[in-house]
């Protein structure tokens, strides 16, 4: 078990939310997409429109890359706190513990936030790994390269199905040398002091509700559940963990580029009092100078753009000044004329 430093436990309680009002006979389920099947294109578009979230199998990411990264991550998080803190605080990259971002959000989580650029200098974090420090960098590079390839394939299938030209209209933003993508490894340690509260139906915030600002996020976790997505009626749906699959979510920037057709899904993580959860997420983002606006080729007839144009730099700056649960895109929405 990993000992994390203080803050009162009440700060980590999930606020009560709306009960599920869906017809219990039509329980929504997470779309499952087999990337090896030709019908996946159509299913991908539907999942991005209906949920902004889906699970993929036959993803092509080698199992050995996933296992190696998980074992390096577990090794890192098992180090004494004083050792891990040498890799922090995150500014924006590095080791973080309980504090998420710069604006007062807290969660029962510790994490490593890294630049996803392969040539990034991880020296500050590597010094923690006294033996063979270069192994960590190699393992992250292999994993990120494979996951980015899968993310690009998904984005190209989406563009194909929507008849967008060129088919790399989204994926080229991740492939660009200047792509501003981030990689994060989260560890939610068990919290035995919370067991009593759990009996009263309380939940412990691991990572508070939010949407991801980038284009696309690719998540893989161990077999401890905790991830929840927000449904249209405002209720929360728990996503059963599956360490063999990847979970994909639409980010704010893709919502804007599709003029709201695809939904940037609100999600959160509830921590577990008994089991630890380890997740790794690749956030595929565009270059800082990239203009983000609805694609003209997608706009039909008199369709108005729902968003003011912005560069990724502008959006990112504004996002990083916001709290997790803020509606970040709100500032960039055009007010419809009445
Ligand atoms: C509270 C915050 C943490 C975050 C930056 C922000 O100000 C608002 C967005 C947050 C988020 C969510 C998705 C990713 O985990 C993340 C790295 C990102 O790009 O936006 C985090 C930011 C963070 O942890 O610094
Ligand atoms: O750790 C997880 O499972 C999800 C975390 C998350 O949503 C994030 O880091 O943006
Ligand atoms: Fe997220």
């Amino acid at each position: 078990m990993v000992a994390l430093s203080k803050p009162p436990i009440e700060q980590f309680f999930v606020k009560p939310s709306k009960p599920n009002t869906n017809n219990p006979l039509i329980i929504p389920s997470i779309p499952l997409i087999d990337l090896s099947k030709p019908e996946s294109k159509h299913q991908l578009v539907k999942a991005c429109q209906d949920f902004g979230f889906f699970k993929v199998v036959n993803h092509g990411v080698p199992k050995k890359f996933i296992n190696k990264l998980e074992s390096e991550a577990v090794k890192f998080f098992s180090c004494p706190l004083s050792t891990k803190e040498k890799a922090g605080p995150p500014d924006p990259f590095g080791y973080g513990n309980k504090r998420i971002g710069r604006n007062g959000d807290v969660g029962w989580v510790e994490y490593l936030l890294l630049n996803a650029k392969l040539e990034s200098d991880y020296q500050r974090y590597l010094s923690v790994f006294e033996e063979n420090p270069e192994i960590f960098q190699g393992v992250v590079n292999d994993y990120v390269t494979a996951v980015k390839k899968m993310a690009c394939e998904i984005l190209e299938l989406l563009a194909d199905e929507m008849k967008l030209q060129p088919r790399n209209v989204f994926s080229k933003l991740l492939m660009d040398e200047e792509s501003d993508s981030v990689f994060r490894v989260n560890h939610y340690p068990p919290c035995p002091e919370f067991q009593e509260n759990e009996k009263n139906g309380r939940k412990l915030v691991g990572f508070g509700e939010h949407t991801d600002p980038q284009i696309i996020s690719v998540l893989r976790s161990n077999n401890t559940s905790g991830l929840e997505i927000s449904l249209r009626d405002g209720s929360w749906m728990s996503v059963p963990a599956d360490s063999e699959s990847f979970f994909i979510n639409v980010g704010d920037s893709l919502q804007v580029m599709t003029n709201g057709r695809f939904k940037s899904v609100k999600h959160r993580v509830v921590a577990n009092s008994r089991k630890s959860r380890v997740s790794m997420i690749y956030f595929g983002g565009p270059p800082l100078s990239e203009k983000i606006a609805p694609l003209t080729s997608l706009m039909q007839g008199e369709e108005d753009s729902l968003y003011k144009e912005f560069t990724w730099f502008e959006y990112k700056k504004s996002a990083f000044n916001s709290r997790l649960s803020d509606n970040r895109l709100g500032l960039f929405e055009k007010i419809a004329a009445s």
Side-chain angles (χ1 to χ4, degrees):
M1 196 194 79
V2 179
L4 295 181
S5 55
K6 288 281 169 210
I9 194 88
E10 293 75 29
Q11 268 195 46
F12 297 91
F13 288 175
V14 168
K15 299 208 175 57
S17 57
K18 265 190 85 202
N20 193 318
T21 54
N22 286 304
N23 179 341
L25 298 174
I26 327 169
I27 302 165
S29 58
I30 309 289
L32 168 63
I33 299 175
D34 181 342
L35 285 184
S36 68
K37 296 268 167 65
E39 60 269 26
S40 65
K41 276 193 208 176
H42 177 71
Q43 295 169 341
L44 286 169
V45 169
K46 186 159 171 30
C48 290
Q49 287 171 347
D50 296 350
F51 284 89
F53 186 83
F54 52 92
K55 166 168 150 170
V56 293
V57 291
N58 284 321
H59 43 70
V61 178
K63 212 168 166 176
K64 65 170 191 255
F65 293 172
I66 302 173
N67 292 344
K68 276 192 182 165
L69 181 60
E70 182 170 345
S71 89
E72 286 300 313
V74 168
K75 209 168 13 162
F76 173 78
F77 290 121
S78 312
C79 290
L81 184 60
S82 56
T83 309
K84 291 183 283 193
E85 277 176 346
K86 288 189 189 133
D91 62 354
F93 301 121
Y95 172 75
N97 188 328
K98 294 208 186 72
R99 294 176 207 292
I100 302 171
R102 305 178 303 206
N103 310 305
D105 286 287
V106 293
W108 195 258
V109 65
E110 55 175 345
Y111 57 88
L112 254 183
L113 202 51
L114 302 169
N115 187 331
K117 254 196 199 131
L118 299 186
E119 69 279 14
S120 302
D121 183 7
Y122 293 167
Q123 224 38 58
R124 209 176 110 215
Y125 328 113
L126 295 177
S127 64
V128 173
F129 296 91
E130 280 148 19
E131 300 152 33
N132 297 326
E134 66 286 349
I135 289 180
F136 179 65
Q137 178 122 31
V139 167
V140 172
N141 285 356
D142 287 346
Y143 179 86
V144 167
T145 305
V147 158
K148 176 171 158 183
K149 181 165 172 271
M150 188 227 316
C152 288
E153 269 164 32
I154 290 174
L155 291 170
E156 286 171 18
L157 289 168
L158 288 167
D160 259 357
E161 179 66 14
M162 291 193 296
K163 314 254 178 310
L164 297 174
Q165 293 283 355
R167 78 189 291 267
N168 69 349
V169 60
F170 302 127
S171 64
K172 67 175 188 212
L173 304 175
L174 273 55
M175 292 309 292
D176 195 300
E177 276 200 6
E178 298 300 318
S179 150
D180 182 38
S181 298
V182 181
F183 181 60
R184 158 171 228 144
V185 189
N186 289 330
H187 173 223
Y188 303 88
C191 179
E193 11 166 3
F194 197 72
Q195 272 166 26
E196 277 311 305
N197 292 296
E198 238 170 20
K199 285 184 200 147
N200 302 327
R202 290 219 139 109
K203 289 181 169 187
L204 177 70
V205 181
F207 206 111
E209 64 176 81
H210 65 284
T211 59
D212 294 344
Q214 293 81 1
I215 295 174
I216 191 168
S217 313
V218 181
L219 179 148
R220 186 266 171 192
S221 77
N222 66 356
N223 273 322
T224 302
S225 60
L227 181 65
E228 298 185 344
I229 60 166
S230 168
L231 300 178
R232 285 176 188 232
D233 69 351
S235 64
W236 289 93
M237 177 180 184
S238 170
V239 177
D242 178 357
S243 64
E244 302 291 309
S245 307
F246 282 88
F247 294 93
I248 312 291
N249 69 261
V250 169
D252 298 342
S253 303
L254 190 54
Q255 175 170 323
V256 172
M257 292 175 83
T258 58
N259 206 28
R261 284 172 179 72
F262 291 179
K263 305 283 176 269
S264 174
V265 68
K266 209 195 273 177
H267 55 285
R268 69 182 183 191
V269 178
V270 171
N272 192 301
S273 66
R274 293 162 208 270
K275 286 169 70 191
S276 76
R277 172 178 167 91
V278 177
S279 58
M280 28 236 199
I281 310 120
Y282 163 77
F283 301 93
L288 288 170
S289 58
E290 188 69 28
K291 286 197 177 116
I292 307 294
L295 297 176
T296 40
S297 51
L298 250 187
M299 308 286 274
Q300 291 164 354
E302 299 285 280
E303 184 175 334
D304 287 325
S305 163
L306 299 178
Y307 305 95
K308 301 172 201 161
E309 187 179 280
F310 51 82
T311 62
W312 168 241
F313 174 79
E314 287 162 336
Y315 189 61
K316 186 176 172 186
K317 191 165 157 221
S318 153
F320 279 67
N321 281 324
S322 67
R323 297 286 301 257
L324 268 182
S325 65
D326 288 347
N327 171 18
R328 280 175 276 287
L329 268 184
L331 286 173
F332 297 86
E333 276 162 13
K334 280 191 183 163
I335 316 290
S338 50

